[in-house]
Amino acid sequence: IANHLGLDLKFKLLFTKNEYFYSRFNTIQMIEKEYIEPNEGFTQTVVVKTGNFKTLYISGQIGDGANLEAQTITTFQNLEKQLQNCNATFKDVVKMNTYIVNFNPEADLPIFRKVRKQFLGNENYPASTLVGIQSLGRKEWLIEIEAIAVIE
């Protein structure tokens, strides 16, 4: 099929709206999607299976509490729940984006790092981005974290 369409077999190519994946090994693989905890307007986690691997796309998780530390703890607990729903752990996370409202690096970064260390340990952190923002979806939310994990 690929040669007939004039496609270069040296690269991985997508076919028809993420339904098939053509690899450089000349095989067509099905891309399967599973929606975990769908809500109105979004899904908590979307699992994309290609071959023997699953990529987990975890929507931004928020937490409860009166301050940044309490919300960071419950946010990581919510992330952990989403990972566990897919038989994954924080060791499987390859990318994490964090958004903190009215971020003050001197005050907030030590709090974030302390809580993150409790959940992720001391080494092999995922690729990460931390962004200070003006607000989130609700005025009481102080932190939101989204993640991508890969499992076999």
Side-chain angles (χ1 to χ4, degrees), residues 7 52 59:
L7 300 174
N52 295 329
S59 291

Side-chain angles (χ1 to χ4, degrees), residues 68 99-105 107-108 131-136 139 141-142:
L68 180 62
Y99 307 94
I100 297 178
V101 174
N102 299 322
F103 182 65
N104 174 342
D108 299 337
V131 180
I133 58 171
Q134 183 177 350
S135 66
L136 288 165
K139 65 180 180 174
W141 295 345
L142 300 176

